[in-house]
């Protein structure tokens, strides 16, 4: 059961990562949309507001999944990390849990500022909220993957 | 936007309350609820680690922040909520992230 939940948690995180990265790139655009020539142009040339509800839903569901996995991590994985004296690994996970909480708290404002019609005066707020959520998601995803595979990484 | 002004209050407060509860525990050992995965239950008091194993406080910080932010965002009048500068939300969150990085650097020495 725990393996299924871990894989599901990772798959949801991949979906979230994709949606948020598209949106984060799209708000970084400095000039009005021009015909997409490069891969980056096409990657950022998405209809950003359509990602909002999916991001909120995936962020909440992925966080709940993380919350369900946490007891097993605390008992089995963290004690192993402590035994192996991998303090940095514990540290990056501590940050992961705090960042996840901050991300959950930001979701109502994120949803509000992405709500159509998009006001130009909120463009900066929208951009920075999206970037913070993207940063949180990338950090949490990478830390989760590293810790999940840590036995293979530290023989 | 005006109709949902309380969302700004919630997002502004959530991170601050969460980190406040975290640091309350870090500096003074205060937590009102601890989850013991080995025992499979929530307890107000600290349990002996030999029999109870490690405690999880993250749930308390999260639900504490959720309860306080929700309550305040419902109580704050809409007019007041509308006057909150929208940039404050991401700025406070960014500042909290920096504070987390600074505080948690203790794990890397």
């Amino acid at each position: 059961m725990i393996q299924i939940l871990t894989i599901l948690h990772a798959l949801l995180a991949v979906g979230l990562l994709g949606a948020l990265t598209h949106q984060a790139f799209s708000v970084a655009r400095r000039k009005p949309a021009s015909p997409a020539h490069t891969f980056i142009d096409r990657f950022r040339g998405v209809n950003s507001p359509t990602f909002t509800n999916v991001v909120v839903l995936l962020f909440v569901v992925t966080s709940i999944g993380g919350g369900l996995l946490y007891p097993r991590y605390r008992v089995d994985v963290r004690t192993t990390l402590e035994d192996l004296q991998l303090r940095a690994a514990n540290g990056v996970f501590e940050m992961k849990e705090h960042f996840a909480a901050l991300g959950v708290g930001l979701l109502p404002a994120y949803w509000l500022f992405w709500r159509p019609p998009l006001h130009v005066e909120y463009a900066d707020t929208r951009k920075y909220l999206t970037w913070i959520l993207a940063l949180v998601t990338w950090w949490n995803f990478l830390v989760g993957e590293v810790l999940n595979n840590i036995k293979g990484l530290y023989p | 936007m005006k109709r949902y002004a309380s969302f700004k209050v919630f997002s502004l407060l959530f991170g601050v309350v969460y980190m406040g509860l975290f640091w309350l525990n870090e500096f003074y050992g205060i937590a009102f609820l601890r989850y013991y995965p080995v025992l499979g239950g929530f307890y107000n008091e600290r349990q002996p680690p030999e029999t109870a194993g490690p405690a999880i406080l993250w749930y308390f910080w999260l639900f504490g922040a959720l309860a306080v932010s929700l309550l305040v965002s419902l109580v704050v009048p809409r007019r007041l909520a509308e006057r909150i500068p929208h940039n404050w939300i991401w700025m406070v969150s960014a500042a909290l992230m920096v504070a987390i990085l600074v505080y948690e650097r203790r794990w890397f020495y």
Side-chain angles (χ1 to χ4, degrees):
Chain A
M1 185 62 192
I2 202 82
Q3 288 88 346
I4 293 170
L5 192 57
T6 308
I7 292 168
L8 200 61
H9 181 59
L11 288 175
L12 288 168
V14 169
L16 179 61
L17 207 57
L20 263 171
T21 307
H22 266 299
Q23 212 176 33
F25 267 75
S26 76
V27 291
R29 198 200 315 260
R30 289 190 194 131
K31 53 187 178 187
S34 53
H37 295 298
T38 66
F39 171 76
I40 301 290
D41 286 339
R42 284 193 291 274
F43 189 85
R44 62 165 50 146
V46 291
N47 184 11
S48 303
T50 58
F51 288 89
T52 308
N53 288 341
V54 174
V55 165
V56 172
L57 182 71
L58 283 176
F59 205 107
V60 170
V61 176
T62 309
S63 300
I64 290 170
L68 294 173
L69 287 166
Y70 196 12
R72 184 67 180 267
Y73 168 84
R74 186 64 187 86
V75 173
D76 291 342
V77 182
R78 181 157 171 161
T79 46
T80 307
L81 296 178
E82 285 167 352
D83 290 343
L84 296 171
Q85 296 188 325
L86 294 171
R87 281 179 55 79
N90 267 332
V92 291
F93 186 85
E94 289 272 310
M95 291 179 196
K96 175 179 155 84
E97 65 178 11
H98 298 324
F99 289 164
L102 290 187
V104 167
L106 280 182
L107 290 177
Y110 163 82
W111 180 82
L112 181 65
F113 288 110
W114 271 106
R115 200 166 161 266
L118 300 180
H119 297 279
V120 180
E121 65 264 36
Y122 301 136
D124 278 347
T125 303
R126 205 160 37 239
K127 176 168 73 179
Y128 293 123
L129 284 175
T130 308
W131 282 359
I132 289 174
L133 285 177
L135 185 69
V136 163
T137 306
W138 268 101
W139 175 270
N140 287 3
F141 179 79
L142 292 174
V143 168
E145 289 307 301
V146 168
L147 290 182
N148 195 41
N149 302 316
I150 202 156
K151 278 188 178 172
L153 294 171
Y154 291 90
Chain B
M1 186 67 76
K2 287 180 178 176
R3 194 172 148 204
Y4 297 101
S6 56
F7 282 28
K8 289 199 297 183
V9 181
F10 180 92
S11 287
L12 191 64
L13 270 182
F14 189 94
V16 176
V17 177
Y18 172 89
M19 290 312 295
L21 290 173
F22 167 68
W23 277 316
L24 199 65
N25 177 68
E26 285 292 292
F27 297 129
Y28 303 105
I30 297 170
F32 304 119
L33 214 57
R34 296 158 205 271
Y35 180 73
Y36 285 89
V38 174
L39 301 177
F42 287 93
Y43 295 83
N44 289 329
E45 301 293 323
R46 206 184 290 267
Q47 302 297 307
E50 308 82 45
T51 52
I56 293 177
L57 285 90
W58 189 62
Y59 301 138
F60 164 64
W61 304 328
L62 266 181
F63 286 109
L66 182 71
V68 173
S69 312
L70 200 61
L71 192 72
V72 175
S73 64
L74 291 174
V75 169
V76 169
R78 191 195 288 183
R79 276 187 187 176
L80 198 65
E82 283 169 12
R83 287 167 59 186
I84 294 172
H86 46 87
N87 279 326
W88 281 17
I89 299 160
W90 70 263
M91 282 178 178
V92 169
S93 294
L96 286 172
M97 287 179 83
V98 172
I100 290 167
L101 289 173
V102 171
Y103 184 75
E104 299 294 0
R105 76 185 191 284
R106 65 201 162 120
W107 292 95
F108 302 96
Y109 296 113

